[in-house]
Amino acid sequence: MPYTAPVSEFDFLYRHVVGLDRVTATDRYAEATPDMVTAILTEAGKMAETVLAPLNRVGDQTGARLENGVVRTSPGFAEGYRAIAEGGYIGMSADVENGGLGLPMAVTTAVNEMIGSACLSLQLNPLMTQGQIEALEHHASDALKVLYLPKLISGEWCGTMNLTEAQAGSDVGALRTKAEPNDDGTYAITGQKIYISWGDNDFSENVCHLVLARLPDGVPGTKGISLFLVPKFIPDAGGAPGKRNSLGVVSLEHKMGLHGSPTAVMQYDGATGWMVGKPHGGMAAMFTMMNNARLGVGVQGISVAEGAYQHALAYAMDRKQGRSPVDGGTGTIIDHADVRRMLAQMKAETFAARALALDNAVSIDMGHATGEEAWKARAALLTPVTKAHGTQTGIDVSQLGIQVHGGMGYIEETGAAQFLRDVRVTAIYEGTNGIQAMDLVARKMMDGGAAMFALLDEVDETAQQGDHAGLAEAAKSLRSATQTLVAMEMNDRFAGAMPYLTAVARVLGGHYHLKASLAEGGTGPRSRLAQVFLARLLPEAHGLLAQATAGAADLYGLTAEELSA
C-alpha cells in the first residue's frame, strides 16, 4: 500500500502547536536542533515509504506461523526490522550511555507513527522493545543494564512484556505464574502467559521477556507481584546468547488482523529469570513500560488513521461515479458532499489526535528535563486520553475509509478493510479504553482536578486569542463537569468515564486546531480544516459531558434479567 510520510505536518506541529522548542531549550535535549530533527524524520519517512510500506499487505496475506516450535515471520519482515534497527530508531530516546541517541520522546513519537502507518504489524516489535528499555533504565540492576540495554537498543535483541494470563485478563493481580528463588540469585519462573505480542521471531539473536510472577511470600493481588527478566537464551559471560532457557511458544493466536505480528501463548517451565526492581514491586516497574506503551499504542491508532485516510483519499480522487454536483468538479466521488464530509472528518480527527500525542510526548520530555511536578502531572493526565482517543480515532477513521470505498471497501482486495482489522485491537491493548477512562476520572483526579484545570487554562487562553466563543464555552462546560465528577462517588464517575474522556479529547482537539489556525493567520489549509473540526466535532463535547455527569443509577436500573430479555 503506498504511503507518504507527513514530515511537514510534524514540523508544523512542533513549531506552532506543541512547542518542541521548549524541550530543545533544556540542557538535556539541547542537541536536538530543528535541522537534526527534520533530517531524522525525513530519513525515517523515506524508510517507511520505500522499505516498510510494501510489507504491510504481505504481512496481512502471509502472516507469522509456528512450525515445530519455531516462529516463522512474514516475508520481508527480517529485512524491514533490520532497516529499523540499523537506522537507530529503536533506541532513539534511550540513554546515550547505553548506546541510545537520547532524543526527545516527541521525536520518537513521530518516527513511531510513520513506521506504524507503513506496517503496523512490524512496528509492534520495536515498540515493545522501547518500553522494555525504559523499564530497565529505571528499575534494573547495573549488571542487567550493562548486559541487556546495549543489545536491546541496537536491535540485536528484542523485548516483550508478559502480563496477561487466561484466567486473569485485565485483573493482573489474579495471575498464577510463580517465581522460586534459586541458590545463585536467579529465579525459576513457571507459568503460562497469553497475548504476548512478538513473543518470538526468527530474525533477532535473542528475545528478552519481562514477566510478572509471584514469589512464594507474595501476598494475593497486585501488591504481591514481582517482575523478572527472562531471556530466550541465557547470555554467557561475554554477553553472547548461550544456553536455551526453559521457555517456549505454545501456539500463535488466530487474529482478526495484524497477521504479520506473532501473538504468542508463552510457557515457562522453571525458566531462569532475574528480578527487575524490588521484591513485590513488579507492578511499579511494569507500569514504566506500560505507560510508555500506552503512548505508543495511542500513536499506533493515529498511524492507522493516517494510512486509512491516504488510502481513502486516493480512491476518492480516482473513482468516477455519478454526475458531479459542483461546477468545475473532478468528475470523481470527491466532488460529492458526503464523501467530502467523511474525508474532511478523517483528516481533522487525525490532526487532532496527532497533536494530542505530540503534546503528551512534549510533556513527558519536559518532565524528564526539568523534574517539575507540573509537567509530570500534565503528562500523566494526557497519557490515558492519548491512548484511548488515539486508538478510537484509528478505528473511526478506518471505518470511514471503508465507507468512502463503498462496496469495494468490504472487498479485501482493495486493502481498505485491513486498516480496521489491524487497528481494532489497539483499543484493547495496554488496558482497555474503558480502563484508561476510569484511570482518568479516578487516579488522575486525586488532585481534585488541578491538572485538568491547569490544562483548561491553556485552552481558555487559545480561545481568547482566537476569539472563539465555541471553544471557550466547551472549555467552560468541561471545567464544570470536572468539578461535578470530582464530587461524585467512584462508580458514578466510572459510568461516565468514557464520554468524559472523549469530551476532553474533543476540547483539546479544538484547542490544537485553533492554535494551528492562528499560526496561519486564519487563511491557510489548516485554518480551513480547523473550521471543520470546530464547527462539526467540537460541539459533541456538550452532549458527551451530559452523559459523563449522569451517574450510574440508570445503568443499574436495568436488571441482568432485563438486559437478557
Side-chain angles (χ1 to χ4, degrees):
M1 297 179 184
Y3 165 69
T4 301
V7 174
S8 61
E9 198 71 353
F10 290 121
D11 181 62
F12 180 90
L13 287 166
Y14 285 153
R15 288 186 293 116
H16 300 297
V17 179
V18 301
L20 183 64
D21 58 321
R22 295 173 294 179
V23 175
T24 56
T26 66
D27 291 340
R28 178 166 181 156
Y29 299 114
E31 294 185 8
T33 64
D35 287 345
M36 174 191 285
V37 171
T38 299
I40 290 170
L41 296 189
T42 299
E43 290 306 309
K46 290 178 182 177
M47 177 194 67
E49 293 170 352
T50 61
V51 179
L52 304 181
L55 302 177
N56 200 38
R57 199 69 177 148
V58 173
D60 186 59
Q61 296 178 327
T62 308
R65 63 193 188 281
L66 186 65
E67 293 182 349
N68 300 318
V70 178
V71 171
R72 305 295 186 191
T73 56
S74 301
F77 270 40
E79 292 76 12
Y81 176 79
R82 196 170 300 118
I84 296 170
E86 291 177 354
Y89 301 118
I90 297 174
M92 291 182 64
S93 292
D95 287 343
V96 175
E97 63 186 36
N98 298 313
L101 298 179
L103 290 168
M105 181 58 69
V107 179
T108 296
T109 295
V111 172
N112 283 349
E113 187 200 308
M114 291 187 288
I115 294 174
S117 290
C119 186
L120 185 61
S121 287
L122 183 55
Q123 191 263 348
L124 269 164
N125 183 300
L127 179 67
M128 292 294 96
T129 303
Q130 287 171 351
Q132 186 171 116
I133 289 167
E134 185 168 358
L136 294 180
E137 284 180 342
H138 284 84
H139 302 285
S141 67
D142 289 341
L144 288 179
K145 290 178 183 178
V146 169
L147 183 58
Y148 283 87
L149 284 175
K151 299 286 189 179
L152 291 166
I153 289 169
S154 69
E156 295 170 79
W157 297 356
C158 295
T160 75
M161 57 192 299
N162 287 232
L163 286 77
T164 310
E165 299 181 13
Q167 80 289 344
S170 296
D171 183 11
V172 178
L175 66 78
R176 296 173 184 163
T177 300
K178 301 182 298 182
E180 299 281 348
N182 294 323
D183 295 335
D184 58 359
T186 64
Y187 296 81
I189 311 300
T190 301
Q192 190 174 96
K193 300 287 185 177
I194 64 172
Y195 302 152
I196 309 307
S197 296
W198 282 96
D200 199 10
N201 66 72
D202 55 2
F203 49 66
S204 67
E205 291 182 353
N206 208 351
V207 181
C208 309
H209 305 282
L210 277 180
V211 184
L212 288 177
R214 199 181 308 277
L215 292 167
D217 62 345
V219 300
T222 56
K223 293 183 179 179
I225 296 174
S226 301
L227 182 63
F228 302 88
L229 183 57
V230 189
K232 176 181 176 181
F233 295 103
I234 300 173
D236 61 22
K243 177 184 175 183
R244 174 70 186 249
N245 212 342
S246 49
L247 59 87
V249 178
V250 174
S251 63
L252 297 182
E253 304 289 0
H254 301 282
K255 301 174 295 185
M256 173 193 281
L258 293 178
H259 299 150
S261 169
T263 301
V265 176
M266 298 294 303
Q267 180 67 38
Y268 298 87
D269 295 311
T272 301
W274 286 259
M275 186 178 290
V276 175
K278 299 178 180 179
H280 319 306
M283 288 304 294
M286 183 60 88
F287 261 111
T288 300
M289 183 172 187
M290 287 183 68
N291 279 326
N292 180 295
R294 283 171 176 170
L295 170 60
V297 170
V299 171
Q300 288 182 329
I302 301 162
S303 297
V304 177
E306 179 64 37
Y309 169 70
Q310 291 190 19
H311 199 67
L313 178 64
Y315 182 82
M317 294 180 72
D318 181 68
R319 172 68 166 162
K320 294 184 177 181
Q321 190 171 5
R323 290 191 301 175
S324 175
V326 294
D327 293 335
T330 65
T332 65
I333 62 171
I334 200 170
D335 291 345
H336 297 282
D338 190 57
V339 174
R340 189 66 66 95
R341 174 192 62 82
M342 289 188 285
L343 290 169
Q345 180 174 337
M346 292 167 78
K347 189 174 180 66
E349 291 270 33
T350 303
F351 180 94
R354 176 182 291 132
L356 171 63
L358 292 177
D359 193 13
N360 191 353
V362 164
S363 299
I364 292 171
D365 291 329
M366 291 300 292
H368 288 160
T370 68
E372 295 177 7
E373 291 303 319
W375 280 114
K376 294 178 181 179
R378 193 178 191 277
L381 182 73
L382 289 175
T383 295
V385 185
T386 300
K387 191 277 172 181
H389 191 68
T391 56
Q392 190 60 50
T393 295
I395 292 167
D396 292 344
V397 170
S398 296
Q399 290 189 126
L400 284 172
I402 292 174
Q403 194 70 16
V404 169
H405 281 75
M408 293 304 295
Y410 203 68
I411 305 301
E412 286 289 353
E413 283 78 3
T414 65
Q418 183 187 339
F419 293 107
L420 182 58
R421 288 189 290 100
D422 283 353
V423 79
R424 185 59 186 83
V425 73
T426 62
I428 299 169
Y429 277 157
E430 309 308 330
T432 65
N433 285 359
I435 288 175
Q436 303 303 314
M438 289 190 289
D439 175 53
L440 177 64
V441 301
R443 286 191 184 91
K444 301 308 188 292
M445 295 295 172
M446 290 175 67
D447 61 358
M452 180 61 73
F453 297 145
L455 194 59
L456 288 173
D457 288 343
E458 298 178 33
V459 178
D460 288 337
E461 183 178 352
T462 300
Q464 184 176 3
Q465 290 176 350
D467 192 23
H468 198 283
L471 180 58
E473 189 61 33
K476 181 180 178 181
S477 296
L478 179 53
R479 190 181 295 271
S480 176
T482 303
Q483 292 168 338
T484 300
L485 277 180
V486 169
M488 293 171 77
E489 295 292 329
M490 195 57 71
N491 207 44
D492 287 324
R493 293 193 206 182
F494 289 164
M498 199 65 235
Y500 177 79
L501 183 147
T502 306
V504 171
R506 282 287 181 252
V507 172
L508 291 177
H511 166 63
Y512 301 132
H513 272 286
L514 187 54
K515 287 189 74 172
S517 178
L518 289 169
E520 286 187 331
T523 58
R526 295 179 186 87
S527 301
R528 290 185 283 276
L529 186 67
Q531 291 174 6
V532 172
F533 190 96
L534 291 165
R536 295 174 178 270
L537 300 177
L538 176 63
E540 294 177 0
H542 298 288
L544 290 164
L545 291 172
Q547 297 179 53
T549 54
D554 61 328
L555 301 181
Y556 289 93
L558 282 168
T559 66
E561 291 76 15
E562 288 170 336
L563 287 169
S564 302

